[in-house]
Amino acid sequence: MFTKALSLPLFAVVLSAQPVIIKTSTIIDGKGKILTNQQLTIENGKITRIGPAKDKPTIDLTGMTVMPGWIDTHVHATWYFNKEGRYETGPGRGSKTTPAEAVQFAEDNMRVTLMGGFTTVQSVGSPDDKDLRAKIAADKIPGPRLLTSLGSLNENSGDPATLREKVRKFKADGADLIKLFATASIRDGGKMTMTVDQINAICDEAKKVGLRAIVHAHASDGAAASINAGCTSIEHGTFLDDKTLDLLVSHGTFFDPNFLVLHNYLDNKPKFLGIGNYNEEGFAYMEKGLPEVAAVLKRARRHNAKIALGTDGVAGAHGRNAEEFIYRVKEGGDKPMEAITSGTSVSAASLGLSTQIGSIAEGMEADLVATNGNPLDDITNVRKVAFVMKHGKVYKGGK
């Protein structure tokens, strides 16, 4: 049986070389169903069988609640607090951090995110994500499967022709998606900043080169222009009106409102205050934004929007990504199953990966998280992550 005393990296290698049998008592499958007393067979990083017990288990997760590895569709993997406890996005002018230290901070961010139950994240995004993605993919460092935009585009990134060139450059450099800012930050009021022509150029070119385009948009005008342009997902959407939500649903666009980012900024105010637009006025906007996020999530549910789960995880939020589930239930009115499904199968669909991750089914990646306590009974049980498996490898122990 699996014990904490085993060396996890060695155990992970051993498990990957032979079938692994996992005994469970409760599974939330990621699509809204509950399975009981099932045995999972894992081979070559995939789930190959789900059914009644027939073999001696390798790992015993009875008494725990087993779910697909959680997915965070919006993080900033390389943002951190420096040695002086101040926010940084990497080495540069005024930085207190060496390049080597910045790399270590980013690697630590990804390690604690994985240990917190998130086996896939989307970073939007920094050029430094590329090396981080490669190290994780090669299993040189522990971390969630990482998708990245490698950067972003905004109103100052050029005219439509230039923006198309930049989209093609991101594609050539290996970006998994395009990130654009259609509106200002909530700290600056969230007004529309890009023109319709700019938005159309980016989203159209992204589609041509086979990339998704996700959009930072707080206000309805910027969001509506992005939806009409064929962008994939609206991030934040704090001030979206019902007409825009209807438009979003009719186009099949995903929606990702975020609670943790605002709470994290407010909880860590001294570490951000005085840097850029992290001023008193900006913090006042963020505090006022929390009830707006709750209201738009509730309205989006009534409109039957496809709601993914992203935290906008910045410095201070890494490893605490599961708090988003809690905020969505306690403040946003989600049912626990809705929140969990958002962070599994819906998020997988938003990434274009629904045939690989986001649910527990035969043929899917063996990405699993197990908690002590059932989040359906008490959503705060998502804090009690006891077991994490990614692609059939165990990174955090069970009983």
Coordinates of all heavy atoms in Angstrom, one line a residue, residues 268-356:
N268 N -2.7 41.4 0.4 CA -1.2 41.7 0.4 C -0.9 43.2 0.0 O 0.1 43.4 -0.6 CB -0.6 40.8 -0.6 CG -0.5 39.3 -0.1 OD1 0.2 39.0 0.8 ND2 -1.4 38.5 -0.7
K269 N -1.8 44.0 0.3 CA -1.7 45.4 -0.2 C -0.4 46.1 0.1 O 0.2 46.7 -0.9 CB -2.8 46.3 0.5 CG -2.9 47.7 0.1 CD -4.0 48.5 0.8 CE -4.0 49.9 0.4 NZ -5.1 50.7 1.1
P270 N 0.3 45.9 1.2 CA 1.6 46.6 1.4 C 2.7 46.1 0.5 O 3.6 46.9 0.2 CB 1.9 46.2 2.9 CG 0.7 45.9 3.5 CD -0.2 45.2 2.5
K271 N 2.5 44.9 -0.1 CA 3.5 44.4 -1.0 C 3.4 44.9 -2.4 O 4.3 44.8 -3.2 CB 3.5 42.8 -1.0 CG 3.7 42.2 0.4 CD 3.6 40.7 0.4 CE 3.9 40.2 1.8 NZ 3.8 38.7 1.8
F272 N 2.2 45.5 -2.7 CA 2.0 46.0 -4.1 C 1.9 47.6 -4.1 O 2.2 48.2 -5.1 CB 0.6 45.5 -4.6 CG 0.6 44.0 -4.9 CD1 0.1 43.1 -4.0 CD2 1.0 43.6 -6.2 CE1 0.1 41.8 -4.3 CE2 1.0 42.2 -6.5 CZ 0.5 41.3 -5.6
L273 N 1.5 48.1 -3.0 CA 1.2 49.6 -2.9 C 2.4 50.4 -3.3 O 3.5 50.2 -2.9 CB 0.7 50.0 -1.5 CG 0.1 51.4 -1.3 CD1 -1.1 51.5 -2.2 CD2 -0.2 51.6 0.1
G274 N 2.1 51.4 -4.2 CA 3.1 52.3 -4.7 C 3.9 51.9 -5.9 O 4.8 52.5 -6.4
I275 N 3.5 50.7 -6.5 CA 4.1 50.2 -7.7 C 3.1 50.4 -8.8 O 2.0 49.8 -8.8 CB 4.5 48.7 -7.5 CG1 5.5 48.5 -6.4 CG2 5.1 48.1 -8.9 CD1 5.7 47.0 -6.0
G276 N 3.5 51.2 -9.8 CA 2.6 51.4 -11.0 C 1.2 51.9 -10.5 O 1.1 52.9 -9.7
N277 N 0.2 51.3 -11.0 CA -1.2 51.7 -10.7 C -1.7 51.0 -9.4 O -2.9 51.1 -9.2 CB -2.2 51.5 -11.9 CG -2.3 50.1 -12.3 OD1 -1.8 49.2 -11.7 ND2 -3.1 49.9 -13.4
Y278 N -0.8 50.4 -8.7 CA -1.2 49.9 -7.4 C -1.2 51.0 -6.3 O -0.3 51.1 -5.5 CB -0.3 48.7 -7.0 CG -0.4 47.5 -7.9 CD1 0.6 47.3 -8.9 CD2 -1.4 46.6 -7.8 CE1 0.5 46.2 -9.7 CE2 -1.5 45.5 -8.6 CZ -0.6 45.3 -9.6 OH -0.6 44.2 -10.4
N279 N -2.1 51.9 -6.5 CA -2.2 53.1 -5.6 C -3.5 53.0 -4.8 O -4.3 52.1 -5.0 CB -2.1 54.4 -6.4 CG -3.1 54.4 -7.5 OD1 -4.2 53.9 -7.5 ND2 -2.7 55.0 -8.7
E280 N -3.8 53.9 -3.9 CA -5.0 53.9 -3.1 C -6.2 53.9 -4.0 O -7.2 53.2 -3.6 CB -5.0 55.1 -2.1 CG -3.9 55.0 -1.1 CD -4.2 53.9 0.0 OE1 -5.2 53.3 -0.1 OE2 -3.2 53.7 0.8
E281 N -6.2 54.7 -5.0 CA -7.4 54.7 -5.9 C -7.6 53.3 -6.5 O -8.8 52.8 -6.6 CB -7.2 55.8 -7.0 CG -8.4 55.9 -7.9 CD -8.2 57.0 -9.0 OE1 -7.1 57.4 -9.2 OE2 -9.2 57.3 -9.6
G282 N -6.5 52.7 -7.0 CA -6.6 51.4 -7.6 C -7.1 50.4 -6.6 O -8.0 49.5 -7.0
F283 N -6.7 50.4 -5.4 CA -7.2 49.4 -4.4 C -8.6 49.7 -4.0 O -9.4 48.7 -3.8 CB -6.3 49.5 -3.1 CG -5.1 48.6 -3.2 CD1 -3.9 49.2 -3.7 CD2 -5.1 47.3 -2.9 CE1 -2.7 48.4 -3.8 CE2 -4.0 46.5 -3.1 CZ -2.8 47.0 -3.5
A284 N -9.1 50.9 -4.1 CA -10.5 51.2 -3.9 C -11.3 50.6 -5.0 O -12.4 50.0 -4.7 CB -10.7 52.7 -3.8
Y285 N -10.9 50.7 -6.2 CA -11.6 50.1 -7.3 C -11.7 48.6 -7.1 O -12.7 48.0 -7.4 CB -10.8 50.4 -8.7 CG -11.3 51.6 -9.4 CD1 -10.4 52.6 -9.7 CD2 -12.6 51.7 -9.8 CE1 -10.8 53.8 -10.4 CE2 -13.0 52.9 -10.5 CZ -12.1 53.9 -10.8 OH -12.5 55.0 -11.5
M286 N -10.6 48.0 -6.7 CA -10.6 46.5 -6.5 C -11.5 46.1 -5.4 O -12.2 45.1 -5.5 CB -9.2 46.0 -6.3 CG -8.3 46.1 -7.5 SD -6.7 45.2 -7.3 CE -5.8 46.3 -6.3
E287 N -11.6 46.8 -4.3 CA -12.5 46.5 -3.2 C -13.9 46.6 -3.7 O -14.8 45.8 -3.4 CB -12.2 47.4 -2.0 CG -12.9 46.9 -0.8 CD -12.3 47.5 0.5 OE1 -11.4 48.4 0.4 OE2 -12.7 47.1 1.6
K288 N -14.2 47.6 -4.4 CA -15.6 47.8 -5.0 C -15.9 46.7 -6.0 O -17.1 46.4 -6.3 CB -15.7 49.2 -5.6 CG -15.7 50.3 -4.6 CD -15.8 51.7 -5.3 CE -15.7 52.8 -4.3 NZ -15.6 54.2 -5.0
G289 N -14.9 46.2 -6.6 CA -15.1 45.2 -7.7 C -15.5 43.8 -7.2 O -16.2 43.1 -8.0
L290 N -15.3 43.5 -5.9 CA -15.6 42.2 -5.5 C -17.1 41.9 -5.5 O -17.5 40.8 -6.1 CB -15.1 42.0 -4.0 CG -13.6 41.5 -4.0 CD1 -13.1 41.6 -2.5 CD2 -13.4 40.1 -4.5
P291 N -18.0 42.7 -5.0 CA -19.4 42.5 -5.2 C -19.9 42.5 -6.7 O -20.8 41.8 -7.0 CB -20.1 43.6 -4.4 CG -19.1 44.6 -4.2 CD -17.8 43.9 -4.2
E292 N -19.2 43.2 -7.5 CA -19.5 43.2 -8.9 C -19.1 41.9 -9.6 O -19.9 41.3 -10.4 CB -18.7 44.3 -9.7 CG -19.0 45.7 -9.2 CD -20.3 46.2 -9.8 OE1 -20.9 45.5 -10.7 OE2 -20.7 47.3 -9.4
V293 N -18.0 41.2 -9.1 CA -17.7 39.9 -9.7 C -18.7 38.9 -9.2 O -19.1 38.0 -10.0 CB -16.3 39.5 -9.2 CG1 -15.9 38.1 -9.6 CG2 -15.2 40.5 -9.7
A294 N -19.1 39.0 -8.0 CA -20.1 38.0 -7.5 C -21.4 38.2 -8.3 O -22.1 37.2 -8.6 CB -20.4 38.3 -6.0
A295 N -21.8 39.4 -8.5 CA -23.1 39.7 -9.2 C -23.0 39.2 -10.7 O -24.0 38.6 -11.2 CB -23.4 41.2 -9.2
V296 N -21.9 39.4 -11.4 CA -21.8 39.0 -12.8 C -21.7 37.4 -12.9 O -22.2 36.9 -13.8 CB -20.6 39.7 -13.5 CG1 -19.3 39.0 -13.1 CG2 -20.8 39.6 -15.0
L297 N -21.1 36.8 -11.9 CA -21.0 35.3 -11.9 C -22.5 34.8 -11.8 O -22.9 33.9 -12.5 CB -20.2 34.8 -10.8 CG -20.2 33.3 -10.6 CD1 -19.8 32.5 -11.9 CD2 -19.2 32.8 -9.5
K298 N -23.2 35.3 -10.9 CA -24.6 34.9 -10.7 C -25.4 35.1 -11.9 O -26.2 34.2 -12.3 CB -25.2 35.6 -9.5 CG -24.6 35.2 -8.1 CD -25.2 36.1 -7.0 CE -24.5 35.8 -5.7 NZ -24.9 36.7 -4.6
R299 N -25.3 36.2 -12.6 CA -26.0 36.5 -13.8 C -25.6 35.6 -14.9 O -26.4 35.1 -15.7 CB -25.9 38.0 -14.2 CG -26.7 38.9 -13.2 CD -26.8 40.3 -13.7 NE -25.5 41.0 -13.7 CZ -24.8 41.3 -14.8 NH1 -25.3 41.0 -16.0 NH2 -23.6 41.9 -14.7
A300 N -24.3 35.4 -15.0 CA -23.7 34.5 -16.0 C -24.3 33.1 -15.9 O -24.6 32.4 -16.9 CB -22.2 34.5 -16.0
R301 N -24.4 32.6 -14.7 CA -25.0 31.3 -14.4 C -26.5 31.3 -14.9 O -26.9 30.3 -15.5 CB -25.0 30.9 -12.9 CG -23.6 30.6 -12.4 CD -23.2 29.2 -12.9 NE -21.9 28.8 -12.4 CZ -21.1 27.9 -12.9 NH1 -21.4 27.3 -14.0 NH2 -19.9 27.6 -12.4
R302 N -27.2 32.3 -14.6 CA -28.6 32.4 -15.1 C -28.7 32.4 -16.6 O -29.7 31.9 -17.2 CB -29.3 33.6 -14.5 CG -29.5 33.5 -13.0 CD -30.6 34.5 -12.5 NE -30.1 35.9 -12.7 CZ -29.5 36.6 -11.8 NH1 -29.2 36.0 -10.6 NH2 -29.1 37.9 -12.0
H303 N -27.7 32.9 -17.3 CA -27.6 32.9 -18.7 C -27.1 31.6 -19.3 O -27.0 31.5 -20.5 CB -26.8 34.1 -19.2 CG -27.5 35.4 -19.1 ND1 -28.0 36.1 -20.2 CD2 -27.7 36.2 -18.0 CE1 -28.5 37.3 -19.8 NE2 -28.3 37.4 -18.5
N304 N -26.7 30.7 -18.4 CA -26.1 29.4 -18.9 C -24.8 29.6 -19.7 O -24.5 28.9 -20.7 CB -27.1 28.6 -19.7 CG -28.3 28.2 -18.9 OD1 -28.1 27.7 -17.7 ND2 -29.5 28.4 -19.4
A305 N -24.0 30.5 -19.2 CA -22.7 30.7 -19.8 C -21.7 29.6 -19.5 O -21.9 28.9 -18.5 CB -22.1 32.1 -19.3
K306 N -20.7 29.4 -20.4 CA -19.7 28.4 -20.2 C -18.6 29.0 -19.3 O -17.8 29.8 -19.8 CB -19.1 27.9 -21.5 CG -20.2 27.2 -22.4 CD -19.5 26.5 -23.5 CE -18.9 27.5 -24.5 NZ -18.4 26.8 -25.8
I307 N -18.6 28.7 -18.0 CA -17.8 29.4 -17.0 C -16.6 28.6 -16.7 O -16.7 27.5 -16.0 CB -18.6 29.8 -15.8 CG1 -19.8 30.7 -16.2 CG2 -17.7 30.5 -14.8 CD1 -20.7 31.0 -15.1
A308 N -15.4 29.0 -17.1 CA -14.2 28.3 -16.7 C -13.7 28.8 -15.4 O -14.3 29.7 -14.8 CB -13.1 28.6 -17.8
L309 N -12.6 28.2 -14.9 CA -12.1 28.7 -13.6 C -10.6 29.2 -13.8 O -9.7 28.4 -14.1 CB -12.1 27.5 -12.6 CG -11.7 27.9 -11.2 CD1 -12.6 27.4 -10.1 CD2 -10.2 27.5 -10.9
G310 N -10.5 30.4 -13.5 CA -9.1 31.1 -13.5 C -9.0 31.9 -12.3 O -10.0 32.5 -11.8
T311 N -7.8 32.1 -11.8 CA -7.6 32.8 -10.6 C -7.0 34.2 -10.9 O -7.0 35.1 -10.0 CB -6.7 32.1 -9.6 OG1 -5.4 31.9 -10.3 CG2 -7.2 30.7 -9.2
D312 N -6.4 34.4 -12.1 CA -5.5 35.5 -12.3 C -4.4 35.5 -11.3 O -4.1 36.5 -10.7 CB -6.2 36.8 -12.3 CG -5.4 37.9 -13.0 OD1 -4.3 37.7 -13.5 OD2 -5.9 39.1 -13.0
G313 N -3.9 34.3 -11.0 CA -2.9 34.1 -9.9 C -1.6 34.9 -10.1 O -0.8 34.6 -11.0
V314 N -1.5 35.8 -9.3 CA -0.3 36.7 -9.3 C 0.6 36.4 -8.1 O 0.3 35.4 -7.4 CB -0.7 38.2 -9.3 CG1 -1.5 38.5 -10.6 CG2 -1.5 38.6 -8.1
A315 N 1.5 37.2 -7.8 CA 2.4 37.0 -6.6 C 1.5 36.9 -5.4 O 0.6 37.7 -5.2 CB 3.4 38.2 -6.5
G316 N 1.8 35.9 -4.6 CA 1.0 35.7 -3.4 C -0.2 34.7 -3.5 O -0.7 34.2 -2.5
A317 N -0.6 34.4 -4.8 CA -1.7 33.5 -5.0 C -1.3 32.1 -5.4 O -2.1 31.2 -5.2 CB -2.6 34.1 -6.1
H318 N -0.1 32.0 -5.8 CA 0.4 30.6 -6.3 C 0.4 29.7 -5.1 O 0.8 30.0 -4.0 CB 1.8 30.7 -6.8 CG 1.9 31.7 -8.0 ND1 1.3 31.5 -9.2 CD2 2.6 32.9 -8.1 CE1 1.6 32.5 -10.0 NE2 2.3 33.4 -9.3
G319 N -0.2 28.5 -5.4 CA -0.4 27.5 -4.3 C -1.7 27.6 -3.6 O -2.1 26.7 -2.8
R320 N -2.3 28.8 -3.7 CA -3.6 29.0 -3.1 C -4.7 29.1 -4.1 O -5.8 29.6 -3.8 CB -3.6 30.3 -2.3 CG -2.5 30.4 -1.2 CD -2.7 31.5 -0.3 NE -2.8 32.8 -0.9 CZ -3.9 33.6 -0.9 NH1 -5.0 33.2 -0.3 NH2 -3.9 34.8 -1.5
N321 N -4.5 28.5 -5.3 CA -5.4 28.6 -6.4 C -6.8 28.1 -6.1 O -7.8 28.5 -6.5 CB -4.9 27.9 -7.6 CG -3.4 28.2 -8.0 OD1 -2.6 28.0 -7.2 ND2 -3.2 28.7 -9.2
A322 N -6.8 27.0 -5.2 CA -8.1 26.4 -4.8 C -9.0 27.3 -4.0 O -10.2 27.1 -3.9 CB -7.8 25.1 -4.0
E323 N -8.5 28.5 -3.5 CA -9.4 29.4 -2.9 C -10.4 30.0 -3.8 O -11.5 30.4 -3.4 CB -8.6 30.6 -2.3 CG -7.6 30.2 -1.2 CD -8.3 29.6 0.0 OE1 -9.2 30.3 0.5 OE2 -7.9 28.5 0.5
E324 N -10.1 29.9 -5.1 CA -11.1 30.4 -6.1 C -12.4 29.6 -6.0 O -13.5 30.1 -6.2 CB -10.6 30.3 -7.5 CG -11.5 30.9 -8.6 CD -11.5 32.4 -8.6 OE1 -10.6 33.1 -8.1 OE2 -12.6 33.0 -9.1
F325 N -12.3 28.3 -5.8 CA -13.5 27.4 -5.7 C -14.3 28.0 -4.5 O -15.6 28.1 -4.6 CB -13.1 26.0 -5.3 CG -12.5 25.2 -6.4 CD1 -11.2 24.7 -6.3 CD2 -13.2 24.9 -7.6 CE1 -10.6 24.0 -7.3 CE2 -12.6 24.2 -8.6 CZ -11.3 23.7 -8.5
I326 N -13.7 28.3 -3.4 CA -14.3 28.7 -2.2 C -15.0 30.0 -2.4 O -16.2 30.2 -2.0 CB -13.4 28.7 -1.0 CG1 -12.8 27.3 -0.8 CG2 -14.0 29.3 0.3 CD1 -11.6 27.3 0.2
Y327 N -14.3 31.0 -3.0 CA -14.9 32.3 -3.2 C -16.1 32.2 -4.1 O -17.1 32.9 -4.0 CB -13.9 33.3 -3.8 CG -12.8 33.7 -2.8 CD1 -11.5 33.6 -3.2 CD2 -13.1 34.2 -1.6 CE1 -10.5 34.0 -2.3 CE2 -12.1 34.6 -0.7 CZ -10.8 34.5 -1.1 OH -9.8 34.9 -0.2
R328 N -16.0 31.3 -5.1 CA -17.1 31.2 -6.1 C -18.4 30.7 -5.4 O -19.5 31.0 -5.8 CB -16.7 30.4 -7.3 CG -15.7 31.1 -8.2 CD -15.6 30.4 -9.5 NE -14.7 31.2 -10.4 CZ -14.6 31.0 -11.7 NH1 -15.3 30.0 -12.3 NH2 -13.7 31.7 -12.4
V329 N -18.2 29.8 -4.5 CA -19.3 29.2 -3.7 C -19.9 30.2 -2.7 O -21.0 30.5 -2.6 CB -19.0 27.9 -3.1 CG1 -20.1 27.4 -2.2 CG2 -18.7 26.8 -4.2
K330 N -19.0 30.7 -1.8 CA -19.4 31.5 -0.7 C -19.8 32.9 -1.1 O -20.6 33.5 -0.4 CB -18.3 31.5 0.3 CG -18.1 30.2 1.0 CD -17.1 30.2 2.2 CE -17.0 28.9 2.9 NZ -18.2 28.7 3.8
E331 N -19.1 33.5 -2.1 CA -19.5 34.9 -2.5 C -20.2 34.9 -3.8 O -21.1 35.8 -4.0 CB -18.2 35.7 -2.7 CG -17.4 35.8 -1.3 CD -16.1 36.6 -1.5 OE1 -16.0 37.3 -2.5 OE2 -15.3 36.6 -0.6
G332 N -19.9 34.0 -4.7 CA -20.5 34.0 -6.1 C -21.8 33.2 -6.2 O -22.4 33.3 -7.3
G333 N -22.1 32.4 -5.2 CA -23.4 31.7 -5.2 C -23.4 30.4 -6.0 O -24.4 29.8 -6.2
D334 N -22.2 30.0 -6.5 CA -22.1 28.7 -7.2 C -22.5 27.6 -6.2 O -22.2 27.6 -5.0 CB -20.7 28.5 -7.7 CG -20.5 28.9 -9.1 OD1 -21.4 29.4 -9.7 OD2 -19.4 28.6 -9.7
K335 N -23.0 26.5 -6.8 CA -23.1 25.2 -6.1 C -21.7 24.6 -6.1 O -21.0 24.8 -7.1 CB -24.1 24.3 -6.7 CG -25.6 24.9 -6.7 CD -26.5 24.0 -7.5 CE -27.9 24.6 -7.6 NZ -28.8 23.8 -8.4
P336 N -21.3 23.8 -5.1 CA -20.0 23.2 -5.1 C -19.7 22.4 -6.4 O -18.6 22.5 -6.9 CB -20.0 22.3 -3.9 CG -20.9 23.0 -2.9 CD -22.0 23.6 -3.8
M337 N -20.7 21.7 -6.9 CA -20.5 20.9 -8.1 C -20.2 21.8 -9.3 O -19.4 21.5 -10.2 CB -21.7 20.0 -8.4 CG -21.4 19.1 -9.6 SD -20.1 17.9 -9.3 CE -21.1 16.5 -8.6
E338 N -20.9 23.0 -9.4 CA -20.7 23.9 -10.5 C -19.3 24.4 -10.4 O -18.6 24.5 -11.5 CB -21.7 25.1 -10.3 CG -23.1 24.8 -10.7 CD -24.0 26.0 -10.5 OE1 -23.8 26.7 -9.5 OE2 -25.0 26.1 -11.2
A339 N -18.8 24.8 -9.2 CA -17.4 25.3 -9.1 C -16.4 24.3 -9.5 O -15.5 24.5 -10.2 CB -17.2 25.8 -7.7
I340 N -16.6 23.0 -9.1 CA -15.6 22.0 -9.4 C -15.7 21.7 -10.9 O -14.6 21.5 -11.5 CB -16.0 20.7 -8.5 CG1 -15.6 21.0 -7.1 CG2 -15.1 19.5 -9.0 CD1 -16.2 19.9 -6.1
T341 N -16.8 21.6 -11.5 CA -16.9 21.4 -12.9 C -16.3 22.5 -13.7 O -15.6 22.2 -14.7 CB -18.4 21.2 -13.3 OG1 -19.0 20.1 -12.5 CG2 -18.5 20.8 -14.8
S342 N -16.4 23.7 -13.2 CA -15.7 24.8 -13.9 C -14.2 24.6 -13.9 O -13.6 24.9 -14.9 CB -16.0 26.2 -13.1 OG -17.3 26.7 -13.5
G343 N -13.7 24.1 -12.8 CA -12.2 23.9 -12.7 C -11.7 22.6 -13.2 O -10.6 22.3 -13.1
T344 N -12.6 21.9 -13.9 CA -12.2 20.6 -14.5 C -12.6 20.5 -15.9 O -12.0 21.1 -16.8 CB -12.7 19.4 -13.6 OG1 -14.2 19.6 -13.4 CG2 -12.0 19.3 -12.3
S345 N -13.8 20.0 -16.2 CA -14.2 19.7 -17.6 C -14.4 21.0 -18.4 O -14.1 21.1 -19.6 CB -15.4 18.8 -17.7 OG -16.5 19.4 -17.1
V346 N -15.0 22.1 -17.8 CA -15.3 23.3 -18.5 C -14.0 24.0 -18.8 O -13.7 24.5 -20.0 CB -16.2 24.2 -17.7 CG1 -16.5 25.5 -18.5 CG2 -17.5 23.5 -17.5
S347 N -13.1 24.0 -17.9 CA -11.8 24.7 -18.1 C -11.0 23.9 -19.2 O -10.3 24.5 -20.0 CB -10.9 24.7 -16.8 OG -11.4 25.8 -16.0
A348 N -11.1 22.6 -19.1 CA -10.4 21.8 -20.2 C -10.9 22.1 -21.6 O -10.2 22.3 -22.5 CB -10.6 20.3 -19.9
A349 N -12.3 22.3 -21.7 CA -12.9 22.6 -22.9 C -12.4 24.0 -23.4 O -12.1 24.2 -24.6 CB -14.4 22.6 -22.8
S350 N -12.3 24.9 -22.5 CA -11.8 26.3 -22.8 C -10.4 26.3 -23.4 O -10.0 27.2 -24.1 CB -11.9 27.2 -21.6 OG -10.8 27.0 -20.7
L351 N -9.6 25.3 -23.0 CA -8.2 25.1 -23.4 C -8.1 24.3 -24.7 O -7.0 24.1 -25.3 CB -7.3 24.5 -22.4 CG -7.3 25.2 -21.0 CD1 -6.3 24.4 -20.1 CD2 -6.8 26.6 -21.1
G352 N -9.3 23.8 -25.1 CA -9.3 22.9 -26.3 C -8.7 21.5 -26.0 O -8.2 20.8 -26.9
L353 N -8.8 21.1 -24.7 CA -8.1 19.8 -24.3 C -9.1 18.9 -23.6 O -8.8 18.0 -22.8 CB -7.0 20.2 -23.3 CG -5.8 21.0 -23.8 CD1 -4.9 21.3 -22.7 CD2 -5.1 20.2 -24.9
S354 N -10.4 19.0 -24.0 CA -11.4 18.2 -23.3 C -11.3 16.7 -23.6 O -11.9 15.9 -22.8 CB -12.8 18.7 -23.6 OG -13.1 18.6 -25.0
T355 N -10.6 16.3 -24.6 CA -10.4 14.9 -24.9 C -9.2 14.3 -24.1 O -9.0 13.1 -24.2 CB -10.3 14.6 -26.4 OG1 -9.1 15.3 -26.8 CG2 -11.5 15.1 -27.1
Q356 N -8.5 15.2 -23.4 CA -7.3 14.7 -22.7 C -7.4 14.9 -21.2 O -6.9 14.0 -20.5 CB -6.1 15.5 -23.3 CG -5.9 15.3 -24.8 CD -4.8 16.2 -25.3 OE1 -3.7 16.2 -24.8 NE2 -5.1 17.0 -26.3

